[in-house]
Amino acid sequence: MQTMTGYERTLNMLKRQPIDRIPVYEHFWSDTHRTWTEKGYIPEDVPFADFFSFDMDETSAFKFVADLNFVPQVVEETDETVLTRDGNGALLRRHKLHDTTPEHVDFAVTERGGWEELIKPHLKAEDARINYEAYREKRRICKEKNRFFYFSCAHVFECMHPVCGHEHMLAGMALDPGWVSDMTTTYGNLIADMMQMLFDKEGLPDGVWFYEDMGFLGRPFMSPAMYKELVQPAHAKTIALAHSLGLPVVMHSCGMVEKLLPGMIEAGIDCLQVIEVKAGMDLIKLHKQYGDRLSFMGGIDIREVYPNDRARIDKELEAKIPIVKNGFGYTLHSDHSIPATVDMPTFRYFIDKGIELGTY
């Protein structure tokens, strides 16, 4: 087959149509670029997408914090962490020396009343919430380089927990589902309205990518019934909007979300990413079960890349790529993000080996 562009390759992968090789994409922790720059592996001003010739790229352009005018307040700072209160009224502790998920310390919103008083009145679709310039520039670059361009943003699950924390949100699903339903409806409408505003002004992307970390080790955060009642309607609304514009939809979810997958497919997703192995996700199993109607990105155990041992990388890739490339619906990606402990030559080898195995 004639060599395809990244745009052509990614589009066909999403449609599960013939491609010359599997596409390649990856996410990195922010300190990885800094470390690789300091070691002389990559120039400081060169993005990963250019350096590794990725087939696709993305940009996020929405601000979901409730009070856009609130200046984050530093409550406590040490040599290693900083505790900050944000425009959601949330108190979160972040590490300064390396990337981590922030620690949930306290929330102004713990139930329906706080949501209705402090958060919901702020959540209006307005230009101040949209970074038109960032979208415009990334769209231009991707078109120039024949790279598939995704517009990406957090979705309702990822919008709720920064407001009230996982504990209060999940308790609300069981004890006050009407409150959670109101949150998902509000955020779903906000996302749909801002997508329409952005696309009307700046033109369409090639696809849409939603981020929803709905699982943890061994199980999802909610039952399939709760997903279908409380979360799926908002997913279906925004996915239907994307599809009405001819845009395929990728949905990211860390953690074990296998039991939610039928509902996510019913909502309309075209591709699942990231398929986290250490949480219990099995790429080959999912490919065999859903590969005729769903594409996949990820599912390569990052723990086999950490040690910078090429034999371990070979074993992991050789066990999966020859199987999941069948049907043309797979993109090479780790099951999380690449940390600074992985050397750049190791990652380059990972990509090259994956392409070798994934060439048709």
Side-chain angles (χ1 to χ4, degrees), residues 27 30 32 46 48 53 59 77 81 84 90 100-101 123 126 162 204 224 228 238 253 260 265 274 290 294 316 319 327:
H27 289 83
S30 62
T32 302
V46 176
F48 282 133
S53 300
T59 194
E77 187 169 5
T81 67
T84 307
T100 62
T101 301
L123 299 179
E126 53 185 313
L204 295 175
K228 193 161 187 175
T238 52
S253 187
L260 303 184
I265 293 173
V274 59
Y290 299 109
L294 189 65
E316 175 71 3

Side-chain angles (χ1 to χ4, degrees), residues 65 67 70-73 84-92 94 162-163:
V65 66
D67 187 350
F70 184 86
V71 178
Q73 300 173 344
T84 307
R85 189 174 298 280
D86 64 19
N88 290 324
L91 199 58
L92 305 174
R94 290 178 170 84
V163 167

Side-chain angles (χ1 to χ4, degrees), residues 64 115 153-164 169 173 180-192 210-214 222 227 230-238 251:
F64 290 109
W115 154 258
C153 73
H155 214 294
V156 295
F157 193 86
E158 288 299 299
C159 290
M160 290 188 294
H161 72 72
V163 167
C164 58
M169 173 181 63
M173 287 184 172
V180 176
S181 180
D182 186 45
M183 288 197 290
T184 60
T185 299
T186 300
Y187 282 116
N189 290 340
L190 179 64
I191 291 166
F210 292 129
Y211 284 86
E212 287 282 68
D213 286 348
M214 297 185 292
M222 72 203 89
Y227 169 79
L230 301 176
V231 179
Q232 189 194 63
H235 285 175
K237 178 184 178 71
T238 52
M251 184 163 284

Side-chain angles (χ1 to χ4, degrees), residues 264-283:
M264 295 162 69
I265 293 173
E266 186 177 272
I269 68 168
D270 298 288
C271 180
L272 177 68
Q273 192 266 349
V274 59
I275 315 164
E276 191 174 4
V277 179
K278 60 182 174 293
M281 296 290 280
D282 185 330
L283 172 62

Side-chain angles (χ1 to χ4, degrees), residues 66 114-124 129 186:
W115 154 258
E116 292 177 343
E117 177 185 354
L118 301 174
I119 305 297
K120 187 176 179 179
H122 290 285
L123 299 179
K124 310 296 184 184
R129 292 191 175 277
T186 300

Side-chain angles (χ1 to χ4, degrees), residues 42 81 88 106 109 112 176 179 214 237 254 266 279 314 316 320 331 342 351 355:
I42 181 171
T81 67
N88 290 324
D106 193 20
V109 175
R112 184 194 293 254
D176 190 359
W179 166 42
M214 297 185 292
K237 178 184 178 71
C254 288
E266 186 177 272
D314 287 348
E316 175 71 3
K320 294 178 179 178
T331 294
V342 174
I351 291 176
I355 290 175

Side-chain angles (χ1 to χ4, degrees), residues 254-312:
C254 288
M256 167 54 90
V257 293
E258 181 180 345
K259 290 182 178 180
L260 303 184
L261 196 50
M264 295 162 69
I265 293 173
E266 186 177 272
I269 68 168
D270 298 288
C271 180
L272 177 68
Q273 192 266 349
V274 59
I275 315 164
E276 191 174 4
V277 179
K278 60 182 174 293
M281 296 290 280
D282 185 330
L283 172 62
I284 293 176
K285 176 184 177 183
L286 296 177
H287 175 266
K288 289 179 178 178
Q289 188 169 359
Y290 299 109
D292 61 334
R293 52 196 144 143
L294 189 65
S295 297
F296 297 95
M297 186 188 313
I300 305 298
D301 195 341
I302 188 62
R303 295 172 299 181
E304 300 304 317
V305 185
Y306 283 163
N308 296 291
D309 183 335
R310 296 188 178 191
R312 290 181 63 169

